[in-house]
Coordinates of all heavy atoms in Angstrom, one line a residue:
M1 N -74.4 103.0 -111.3 CA -73.0 103.5 -111.4 C -73.0 104.9 -111.9 O -73.7 105.3 -112.8 CB -72.2 102.6 -112.3 CG -71.1 101.9 -111.6 SD -70.0 101.1 -112.7 CE -69.5 99.9 -111.5
P2 N -72.1 105.7 -111.4 CA -71.9 107.1 -111.9 C -71.5 107.1 -113.3 O -70.9 106.1 -113.8 CB -70.9 107.7 -111.0 CG -70.7 106.8 -109.8 CD -71.2 105.4 -110.2
S3 N -71.7 108.2 -114.0 CA -71.2 108.3 -115.3 C -70.5 109.7 -115.5 O -70.6 110.5 -114.6 CB -72.4 108.3 -116.3 OG -73.3 109.3 -116.1
L4 N -69.8 109.8 -116.6 CA -69.0 111.0 -116.8 C -69.2 111.4 -118.3 O -69.1 110.5 -119.2 CB -67.5 110.6 -116.6 CG -66.5 111.7 -116.9 CD1 -66.6 112.9 -116.0 CD2 -65.1 111.1 -116.8
T5 N -69.4 112.6 -118.5 CA -69.5 113.1 -119.9 C -68.3 114.0 -120.2 O -67.9 114.9 -119.5 CB -70.8 114.0 -120.0 OG1 -71.9 113.2 -119.7 CG2 -70.9 114.5 -121.4
L6 N -67.7 113.7 -121.3 CA -66.5 114.5 -121.8 C -67.0 115.4 -122.9 O -67.7 114.9 -123.8 CB -65.4 113.5 -122.3 CG -64.8 112.6 -121.2 CD1 -63.8 111.6 -121.9 CD2 -64.2 113.3 -120.1
K7 N -66.5 116.6 -122.9 CA -66.9 117.6 -123.9 C -65.7 118.1 -124.6 O -64.6 118.1 -124.1 CB -67.6 118.8 -123.2 CG -68.9 118.4 -122.6 CD -69.6 119.6 -121.9 CE -70.8 119.2 -121.2 NZ -71.5 120.4 -120.6
D8 N -65.9 118.5 -125.8 CA -64.8 119.2 -126.6 C -63.6 118.3 -126.8 O -62.5 118.7 -126.8 CB -64.4 120.5 -126.0 CG -65.5 121.5 -125.8 OD1 -66.4 121.5 -126.8 OD2 -65.6 122.2 -124.8
I9 N -63.9 117.0 -127.1 CA -62.8 116.1 -127.4 C -62.3 116.4 -128.8 O -63.1 116.4 -129.8 CB -63.2 114.6 -127.3 CG1 -63.8 114.3 -125.9 CG2 -62.1 113.7 -127.7 CD1 -64.4 113.0 -125.8
P10 N -61.0 116.6 -129.0 CA -60.5 116.9 -130.4 C -60.8 115.6 -131.3 O -60.7 114.5 -130.8 CB -59.0 117.1 -130.2 CG -58.9 117.5 -128.8 CD -60.0 116.8 -128.0
D11 N -61.2 115.9 -132.5 CA -61.5 114.8 -133.5 C -60.4 113.8 -133.6 O -60.6 112.6 -133.6 CB -61.9 115.4 -134.8 CG -63.2 116.2 -134.8 OD1 -64.0 115.9 -134.0 OD2 -63.3 117.0 -135.7
E12 N -59.2 114.3 -133.6 CA -58.0 113.4 -133.8 C -57.9 112.5 -132.6 O -57.6 111.3 -132.7 CB -56.8 114.2 -134.0 CG -55.6 113.4 -134.3 CD -54.3 114.2 -134.6 OE1 -54.4 115.2 -135.4 OE2 -53.3 113.9 -133.9
L13 N -58.1 113.0 -131.4 CA -58.0 112.2 -130.2 C -59.1 111.2 -130.2 O -58.9 110.0 -129.8 CB -58.1 113.1 -128.9 CG -58.1 112.3 -127.6 CD1 -56.9 111.4 -127.4 CD2 -58.2 113.3 -126.4
L14 N -60.3 111.6 -130.5 CA -61.4 110.6 -130.5 C -61.2 109.5 -131.5 O -61.4 108.3 -131.2 CB -62.7 111.4 -130.9 CG -64.0 110.5 -130.9 CD1 -64.2 109.9 -129.6 CD2 -65.2 111.4 -131.3
Q15 N -60.6 109.8 -132.7 CA -60.3 108.8 -133.6 C -59.3 107.8 -133.1 O -59.4 106.6 -133.3 CB -59.9 109.4 -135.0 CG -59.9 108.3 -136.1 CD -61.2 107.6 -136.3 OE1 -62.2 108.2 -136.4 NE2 -61.1 106.3 -136.2
R16 N -58.3 108.3 -132.5 CA -57.2 107.5 -131.9 C -57.8 106.5 -130.9 O -57.4 105.4 -130.8 CB -56.1 108.3 -131.3 CG -55.2 109.0 -132.4 CD -53.9 109.6 -131.9 NE -53.9 110.0 -130.6 CZ -53.8 111.3 -130.2 NH1 -53.9 112.3 -131.1 NH2 -53.8 111.7 -129.0
L17 N -58.7 107.1 -130.1 CA -59.3 106.2 -129.0 C -60.2 105.1 -129.7 O -60.2 104.0 -129.3 CB -60.2 107.1 -128.1 CG -59.4 107.9 -127.0 CD1 -60.4 108.9 -126.4 CD2 -58.9 106.9 -126.0
R18 N -60.9 105.5 -130.7 CA -61.8 104.5 -131.5 C -60.9 103.4 -132.1 O -61.2 102.3 -132.0 CB -62.6 105.2 -132.5 CG -63.8 106.0 -132.0 CD -64.6 106.6 -133.1 NE -65.8 107.2 -132.6 CZ -66.3 108.4 -133.0 NH1 -65.8 109.0 -134.1 NH2 -67.4 108.9 -132.5
D19 N -59.8 103.9 -132.7 CA -58.9 102.9 -133.3 C -58.3 101.9 -132.3 O -58.2 100.7 -132.5 CB -57.8 103.6 -134.1 CG -58.2 104.4 -135.3 OD1 -59.4 104.1 -135.8 OD2 -57.5 105.2 -135.8
S20 N -57.9 102.5 -131.1 CA -57.4 101.7 -130.1 C -58.4 100.7 -129.5 O -58.1 99.6 -129.2 CB -56.8 102.6 -129.0 OG -56.2 101.9 -128.0
A21 N -59.6 101.2 -129.3 CA -60.7 100.4 -128.8 C -60.9 99.2 -129.8 O -61.1 98.0 -129.4 CB -62.0 101.2 -128.7
H22 N -60.9 99.5 -131.1 CA -61.1 98.4 -132.1 C -60.0 97.4 -132.0 O -60.2 96.2 -132.0 CB -61.2 99.1 -133.5 CG -61.4 98.1 -134.6 ND1 -62.6 97.4 -134.8 CD2 -60.5 97.6 -135.5 CE1 -62.5 96.6 -135.8 NE2 -61.2 96.6 -136.2
R23 N -58.7 97.9 -131.9 CA -57.6 96.9 -131.8 C -57.7 96.1 -130.6 O -57.3 94.9 -130.6 CB -56.3 97.7 -131.8 CG -55.8 98.2 -133.2 CD -54.3 98.7 -133.1 NE -54.1 99.7 -132.1 CZ -54.3 101.0 -132.2 NH1 -54.8 101.5 -133.3 NH2 -54.1 101.8 -131.2
N24 N -58.2 96.7 -129.5 CA -58.2 95.9 -128.2 C -59.6 95.2 -128.0 O -59.8 94.7 -126.9 CB -58.0 96.9 -127.1 CG -56.6 97.4 -127.0 OD1 -55.6 96.6 -127.2 ND2 -56.4 98.7 -126.9
R25 N -60.4 95.2 -129.1 CA -61.7 94.6 -129.0 C -62.5 95.0 -127.8 O -63.1 94.2 -127.1 CB -61.5 93.1 -129.0 CG -60.9 92.6 -130.3 CD -60.7 91.1 -130.2 NE -60.0 90.7 -131.5 CZ -60.0 89.5 -131.9 NH1 -60.7 88.5 -131.3 NH2 -59.4 89.2 -133.0
R26 N -62.6 96.3 -127.6 CA -63.3 96.9 -126.6 C -64.3 98.0 -127.2 O -64.0 98.5 -128.2 CB -62.4 97.6 -125.5 CG -61.6 96.7 -124.7 CD -61.0 97.4 -123.5 NE -59.7 98.1 -123.9 CZ -58.5 97.8 -123.3 NH1 -58.5 96.8 -122.4 NH2 -57.5 98.4 -123.6
S27 N -65.3 98.3 -126.4 CA -66.1 99.5 -126.7 C -65.3 100.7 -126.5 O -64.2 100.7 -125.8 CB -67.4 99.5 -125.9 OG -67.0 99.8 -124.5
L28 N -65.7 101.9 -127.0 CA -65.0 103.1 -126.8 C -65.0 103.4 -125.3 O -64.0 103.8 -124.7 CB -65.7 104.3 -127.5 CG -65.1 105.6 -127.4 CD1 -63.6 105.6 -127.8 CD2 -65.9 106.6 -128.2
N29 N -66.2 103.2 -124.6 CA -66.3 103.4 -123.2 C -65.3 102.5 -122.4 O -64.6 102.9 -121.5 CB -67.7 103.1 -122.7 CG -67.9 103.5 -121.3 OD1 -68.0 104.6 -121.0 ND2 -68.0 102.5 -120.4
G30 N -65.2 101.2 -122.8 CA -64.3 100.3 -122.2 C -62.8 100.7 -122.4 O -62.0 100.5 -121.5
E31 N -62.5 101.2 -123.6 CA -61.1 101.7 -123.8 C -60.8 102.8 -122.9 O -59.7 102.9 -122.3 CB -61.0 102.1 -125.3 CG -59.6 102.5 -125.7 CD -58.6 101.3 -125.7 OE1 -59.0 100.1 -125.7 OE2 -57.4 101.6 -125.6
V32 N -61.7 103.8 -122.8 CA -61.4 105.0 -122.0 C -61.3 104.6 -120.5 O -60.4 105.0 -119.8 CB -62.5 106.0 -122.2 CG1 -62.4 107.1 -121.1 CG2 -62.5 106.6 -123.6
L33 N -62.1 103.7 -120.1 CA -62.0 103.2 -118.7 C -60.7 102.5 -118.4 O -60.1 102.6 -117.4 CB -63.2 102.3 -118.3 CG -64.6 103.0 -118.1 CD1 -65.7 102.0 -117.9 CD2 -64.5 104.0 -117.0
A34 N -60.3 101.6 -119.4 CA -59.0 100.9 -119.2 C -57.9 101.8 -119.1 O -57.0 101.7 -118.3 CB -58.9 99.9 -120.4
R35 N -57.9 102.9 -120.0 CA -56.8 103.8 -120.0 C -56.8 104.7 -118.7 O -55.7 105.0 -118.2 CB -56.9 104.7 -121.2 CG -56.4 103.9 -122.4 CD -56.7 104.7 -123.7 NE -56.1 104.0 -124.8 CZ -54.9 104.4 -125.4 NH1 -54.3 105.5 -124.9 NH2 -54.4 103.8 -126.4
L36 N -58.0 105.1 -118.2 CA -58.1 105.9 -117.0 C -57.6 105.0 -115.8 O -56.9 105.5 -114.9 CB -59.5 106.3 -116.8 CG -59.9 107.5 -117.6 CD1 -61.4 107.8 -117.4 CD2 -59.2 108.8 -117.3
D37 N -57.9 103.7 -115.8 CA -57.5 102.9 -114.7 C -56.0 102.8 -114.6 O -55.4 102.8 -113.5 CB -58.1 101.5 -114.9 CG -57.9 100.6 -113.7 OD1 -58.2 101.1 -112.6 OD2 -57.5 99.4 -113.9
V38 N -55.3 102.8 -115.8 CA -53.8 102.8 -115.8 C -53.3 104.1 -115.4 O -52.3 104.3 -114.7 CB -53.3 102.3 -117.2 CG1 -51.8 102.5 -117.3 CG2 -53.7 100.9 -117.5
A39 N -53.9 105.2 -115.9 CA -53.4 106.5 -115.7 C -53.6 107.1 -114.3 O -52.8 107.9 -113.8 CB -54.0 107.5 -116.7
V40 N -54.6 106.5 -113.6 CA -54.9 107.0 -112.3 C -55.0 105.8 -111.3 O -56.0 105.3 -110.9 CB -56.3 107.8 -112.3 CG1 -56.5 108.4 -110.9 CG2 -56.4 108.8 -113.4
P41 N -53.8 105.3 -111.0 CA -53.7 104.2 -110.1 C -54.2 104.5 -108.7 O -54.2 105.7 -108.3 CB -52.2 103.8 -110.1 CG -51.5 105.0 -110.4 CD -52.4 105.8 -111.3
P42 N -54.7 103.5 -107.9 CA -55.1 103.7 -106.6 C -53.9 104.2 -105.7 O -52.7 103.9 -106.0 CB -55.6 102.4 -106.1 CG -55.0 101.4 -107.0 CD -54.8 102.1 -108.3
P43 N -54.2 104.9 -104.6 CA -53.0 105.2 -103.7 C -52.4 104.0 -103.2 O -53.0 103.0 -103.0 CB -53.7 106.1 -102.7 CG -55.1 105.7 -102.7 CD -55.4 105.3 -104.1
P44 N -51.1 104.1 -102.9 CA -50.4 102.9 -102.3 C -51.0 102.5 -101.0 O -51.5 103.4 -100.2 CB -49.0 103.4 -102.1 CG -49.0 104.9 -102.2 CD -50.2 105.3 -102.9
E45 N -51.0 101.2 -100.7 CA -51.6 100.7 -99.5 C -50.6 101.0 -98.3 O -49.4 100.9 -98.5 CB -51.8 99.2 -99.6 CG -52.6 98.6 -98.5 CD -52.9 97.1 -98.7 OE1 -52.0 96.3 -98.5 OE2 -54.1 96.9 -99.0
D46 N -51.1 101.2 -97.2 CA -50.3 101.4 -96.0 C -49.5 100.1 -95.7 O -50.1 99.0 -95.7 CB -51.3 101.7 -94.8 CG -50.5 101.9 -93.5 OD1 -49.3 101.6 -93.4 OD2 -51.2 102.3 -92.5
P47 N -48.2 100.2 -95.6 CA -47.4 99.0 -95.3 C -47.9 98.2 -94.2 O -47.8 96.9 -94.2 CB -46.0 99.6 -95.1 CG -46.0 100.9 -95.7 CD -47.4 101.4 -95.6
E48 N -48.4 98.8 -93.1 CA -48.9 98.0 -92.0 C -50.1 97.2 -92.4 O -50.2 96.1 -91.9 CB -49.2 99.0 -90.8 CG -48.0 99.7 -90.2 CD -47.0 98.7 -89.7 OE1 -47.4 97.7 -89.1 OE2 -45.8 99.0 -89.8
V49 N -50.9 97.7 -93.2 CA -52.1 97.0 -93.7 C -51.6 95.8 -94.5 O -52.1 94.7 -94.4 CB -53.1 97.9 -94.5 CG1 -54.2 97.1 -95.2 CG2 -53.6 99.0 -93.6
T50 N -50.6 96.0 -95.4 CA -50.1 94.9 -96.2 C -49.5 93.8 -95.4 O -49.8 92.6 -95.6 CB -49.0 95.5 -97.2 OG1 -49.6 96.5 -98.0 CG2 -48.5 94.4 -98.1
L51 N -48.7 94.2 -94.4 CA -48.1 93.2 -93.5 C -49.2 92.4 -92.7 O -49.1 91.2 -92.5 CB -47.2 93.9 -92.5 CG -45.9 94.4 -93.1 CD1 -45.1 95.2 -92.1 CD2 -45.0 93.3 -93.7
A52 N -50.2 93.1 -92.3 CA -51.3 92.4 -91.5 C -52.0 91.4 -92.5 O -52.4 90.3 -92.0 CB -52.3 93.5 -91.0
R53 N -52.3 91.8 -93.7 CA -52.9 90.9 -94.7 C -52.0 89.7 -94.9 O -52.5 88.5 -95.0 CB -53.2 91.6 -96.0 CG -54.5 92.4 -95.9 CD -54.9 92.9 -97.3 NE -53.7 93.3 -98.1 CZ -53.6 93.0 -99.4 NH1 -54.5 92.4 -100.0 NH2 -52.5 93.5 -100.0
L54 N -50.7 89.9 -95.1 CA -49.8 88.8 -95.3 C -49.7 87.9 -94.1 O -49.7 86.7 -94.2 CB -48.4 89.3 -95.6 CG -48.3 90.0 -97.0 CD1 -46.9 90.7 -97.1 CD2 -48.5 89.0 -98.1
A55 N -49.7 88.5 -92.9 CA -49.7 87.6 -91.7 C -51.0 86.8 -91.6 O -50.9 85.6 -91.2 CB -49.6 88.5 -90.5
A56 N -52.1 87.4 -91.9 CA -53.3 86.6 -91.9 C -53.3 85.5 -92.9 O -53.8 84.3 -92.6 CB -54.5 87.5 -92.1
F57 N -52.8 85.7 -94.1 CA -52.7 84.7 -95.1 C -51.8 83.6 -94.6 O -52.1 82.4 -94.7 CB -52.1 85.3 -96.4 CG -51.9 84.3 -97.5 CD1 -52.9 84.0 -98.4 CD2 -50.6 83.8 -97.7 CE1 -52.7 83.1 -99.4 CE2 -50.4 82.8 -98.7 CZ -51.5 82.5 -99.6
R58 N -50.6 83.9 -94.1 CA -49.7 82.9 -93.6 C -50.3 82.1 -92.5 O -50.1 80.9 -92.4 CB -48.4 83.5 -93.2 CG -47.6 84.2 -94.3 CD -46.2 84.7 -93.9 NE -45.3 83.5 -93.7 CZ -44.8 82.8 -94.7 NH1 -45.1 83.1 -95.9 NH2 -44.0 81.8 -94.4
K59 N -51.0 82.7 -91.6 CA -51.7 82.0 -90.5 C -52.8 81.1 -91.0 O -52.9 79.9 -90.6 CB -52.3 83.0 -89.5 CG -52.9 82.4 -88.3 CD -53.4 83.4 -87.3 CE -54.1 82.8 -86.1 NZ -54.6 83.8 -85.2
K60 N -53.6 81.6 -92.0 CA -54.7 80.8 -92.5 C -54.1 79.5 -93.1 O -54.7 78.4 -93.0 CB -55.4 81.6 -93.6 CG -56.5 80.8 -94.3 CD -57.2 81.6 -95.4 CE -58.2 80.7 -96.1 NZ -58.8 81.5 -97.2
W61 N -53.0 79.6 -93.9 CA -52.5 78.4 -94.6 C -51.4 77.7 -93.8 O -50.7 76.8 -94.3 CB -51.9 78.9 -95.9 CG -53.1 79.3 -96.8 CD1 -53.4 80.6 -97.1 CD2 -54.0 78.5 -97.5 NE1 -54.5 80.6 -97.9 CE2 -54.9 79.3 -98.2 CE3 -54.2 77.1 -97.6 CZ2 -56.0 78.8 -98.9 CZ3 -55.2 76.6 -98.3 CH2 -56.1 77.4 -99.0
K62 N -51.2 78.2 -92.5 CA -50.2 77.5 -91.6 C -48.8 77.5 -92.2 O -48.2 76.4 -92.2 CB -50.7 76.2 -91.2 CG -52.0 76.2 -90.4 CD -52.5 74.9 -90.0 CE -53.8 75.0 -89.2 NZ -54.9 74.4 -89.7
L63 N -48.4 78.6 -92.8 CA -47.1 78.6 -93.5 C -46.0 79.0 -92.5 O -46.2 79.8 -91.6 CB -47.1 79.7 -94.6 CG -48.1 79.4 -95.7 CD1 -48.1 80.6 -96.7 CD2 -47.8 78.2 -96.4
K64 N -44.8 78.4 -92.6 CA -43.7 78.7 -91.8 C -43.1 80.1 -92.2 O -43.3 80.5 -93.3 CB -42.6 77.7 -91.9 CG -43.1 76.3 -91.4 CD -42.0 75.3 -91.7 CE -42.5 73.9 -91.3 NZ -41.5 72.9 -91.6
P65 N -42.5 80.8 -91.3 CA -41.8 82.0 -91.6 C -40.8 81.9 -92.8 O -40.2 80.8 -92.9 CB -41.1 82.5 -90.3 CG -41.8 81.7 -89.2 CD -42.3 80.4 -89.9
L66 N -40.8 82.9 -93.6 CA -39.9 82.8 -94.8 C -38.5 83.2 -94.3 O -38.3 84.3 -93.7 CB -40.4 83.8 -95.9 CG -39.7 83.7 -97.2 CD1 -39.8 82.2 -97.8 CD2 -40.4 84.6 -98.2
T67 N -37.5 82.3 -94.6 CA -36.1 82.6 -94.2 C -35.3 83.2 -95.3 O -35.8 83.2 -96.5 CB -35.5 81.2 -93.8 OG1 -35.4 80.4 -94.9 CG2 -36.2 80.5 -92.6
R68 N -34.1 83.6 -95.0 CA -33.2 84.1 -96.1 C -33.0 83.0 -97.1 O -32.9 83.2 -98.3 CB -31.9 84.6 -95.5 CG -32.1 85.9 -94.8 CD -30.7 86.5 -94.4 NE -30.8 87.6 -93.5 CZ -31.0 88.8 -93.9 NH1 -31.0 89.1 -95.2 NH2 -31.1 89.8 -93.0
A69 N -32.8 81.8 -96.7 CA -32.5 80.6 -97.6 C -33.8 80.4 -98.5 O -33.6 80.2 -99.7 CB -32.2 79.4 -96.8
G70 N -34.9 80.6 -97.9 CA -36.2 80.4 -98.7 C -36.3 81.5 -99.7 O -36.7 81.2 -100.9
M71 N -35.9 82.7 -99.4 CA -35.9 83.8 -100.3 C -34.9 83.6 -101.5 O -35.2 83.8 -102.6 CB -35.6 85.1 -99.7 CG -36.7 85.7 -98.8 SD -38.2 86.1 -99.8 CE -37.5 87.4 -100.8
R72 N -33.7 83.0 -101.1 CA -32.7 82.7 -102.2 C -33.2 81.7 -103.1 O -33.0 81.7 -104.3 CB -31.4 82.3 -101.5 CG -30.6 83.5 -100.9 CD -29.2 83.1 -100.6 NE -29.1 82.0 -99.6 CZ -29.1 82.3 -98.2 NH1 -29.2 83.5 -97.8 NH2 -29.0 81.3 -97.4
Q73 N -34.0 80.7 -102.5 CA -34.5 79.6 -103.4 C -35.6 80.2 -104.3 O -35.6 79.8 -105.5 CB -35.1 78.5 -102.5 CG -35.6 77.3 -103.3 CD -34.5 76.6 -104.0 OE1 -33.5 76.2 -103.5 NE2 -34.7 76.4 -105.3
I74 N -36.4 81.1 -103.8 CA -37.4 81.7 -104.7 C -36.7 82.4 -105.8 O -37.1 82.3 -107.0 CB -38.3 82.6 -103.9 CG1 -39.2 81.8 -103.0 CG2 -39.2 83.5 -104.8 CD1 -40.0 82.6 -101.9
Q75 N -35.7 83.2 -105.5 CA -35.0 84.0 -106.6 C -34.3 83.0 -107.6 O -34.4 83.3 -108.8 CB -33.9 84.9 -105.9 CG -34.5 86.0 -105.1 CD -35.3 86.9 -106.0 OE1 -35.1 87.1 -107.2 NE2 -36.3 87.5 -105.4
A76 N -33.7 81.9 -107.1 CA -33.1 80.9 -108.0 C -34.2 80.3 -108.9 O -34.0 80.1 -110.1 CB -32.4 79.9 -107.2
D77 N -35.3 80.0 -108.3 CA -36.4 79.4 -109.1 C -36.9 80.4 -110.2 O -37.2 80.0 -111.3 CB -37.6 79.0 -108.2 CG -37.3 77.8 -107.4 OD1 -36.3 77.1 -107.7 OD2 -38.0 77.6 -106.4
K78 N -37.0 81.7 -109.9 CA -37.4 82.7 -110.8 C -36.4 82.8 -112.0 O -36.8 82.9 -113.1 CB -37.6 84.0 -110.1 CG -38.8 84.1 -109.3 CD -38.9 85.3 -108.4 CE -38.9 86.6 -109.1 NZ -39.1 87.8 -108.3
V79 N -35.1 82.7 -111.6 CA -34.1 82.8 -112.7 C -34.2 81.6 -113.6 O -34.1 81.7 -114.8 CB -32.7 82.9 -112.0 CG1 -31.6 82.7 -113.1 CG2 -32.5 84.3 -111.3
R80 N -34.5 80.4 -113.1 CA -34.6 79.2 -113.9 C -35.9 79.2 -114.7 O -36.1 78.4 -115.5 CB -34.5 78.0 -113.0 CG -33.2 77.7 -112.5 CD -33.0 76.2 -112.0 NE -34.2 75.7 -111.3 CZ -34.4 75.7 -110.0 NH1 -33.5 76.2 -109.2 NH2 -35.5 75.2 -109.5
G81 N -36.8 80.1 -114.3 CA -38.1 80.2 -115.1 C -39.2 79.3 -114.5 O -40.2 79.1 -115.1
R82 N -39.0 78.9 -113.2 CA -40.0 78.1 -112.6 C -41.0 79.0 -112.0 O -40.7 80.0 -111.2 CB -39.4 77.2 -111.5 CG -40.4 76.4 -110.7 CD -39.7 75.5 -109.7 NE -40.6 75.0 -108.8 CZ -40.4 74.5 -107.6 NH1 -39.2 74.5 -107.1 NH2 -41.3 74.0 -106.9
P83 N -42.3 78.8 -112.2 CA -43.3 79.7 -111.7 C -43.5 79.6 -110.2 O -43.2 78.7 -109.6 CB -44.6 79.3 -112.4 CG -44.4 78.1 -113.1 CD -42.9 77.8 -113.1

């Protein structure tokens, strides 16, 4: 796997990262990777790719098309706290 070396990290920033890593029970490297993962999200997926994946999922599990009534039921279940 590739690696990255950071230079000239201010002492205060390094200490904050160490403290955060300790609180989160991670190594310093793990803390930095977790923060970078949040700070630099992947680009959004093409909507056509998402729709194709959903269509394949629905076909695999032989699911019926989702209707407006079905969507309302999902919303009502969410409001009631049903997973």
Side-chain angles (χ1 to χ4, degrees):
M1 240 190 208
S3 63
L4 173 69
T5 301
L6 298 175
K7 297 179 181 180
D8 301 322
I9 301 171
D11 291 337
E12 188 178 308
L13 175 58
L14 181 58
Q15 189 56 52
R16 290 194 326 255
L17 283 168
R18 283 182 175 145
D19 293 345
S20 183
H22 180 74
R23 280 192 308 275
N24 292 315
R25 298 180 181 199
R26 292 193 271 242
S27 67
L28 181 57
N29 188 75
E31 184 68 20
V32 170
L33 288 176
R35 287 170 170 259
L36 283 172
D37 192 46
V38 170
V40 186
E45 188 174 78
D46 178 351
E48 293 300 322
V49 172
T50 302
L51 290 173
R53 279 189 321 137
L54 289 171
F57 177 86
R58 296 187 71 75
K59 183 177 179 180
K60 175 182 176 182
W61 294 101
K62 299 178 177 124
L63 299 174
K64 295 177 184 172
L66 193 55
T67 63
R68 288 187 190 273
M71 285 297 294
R72 284 193 297 274
Q73 184 63 51
I74 290 170
Q75 290 300 326
D77 289 345
K78 286 169 62 175
V79 168
R80 285 197 327 263
R82 181 177 167 201

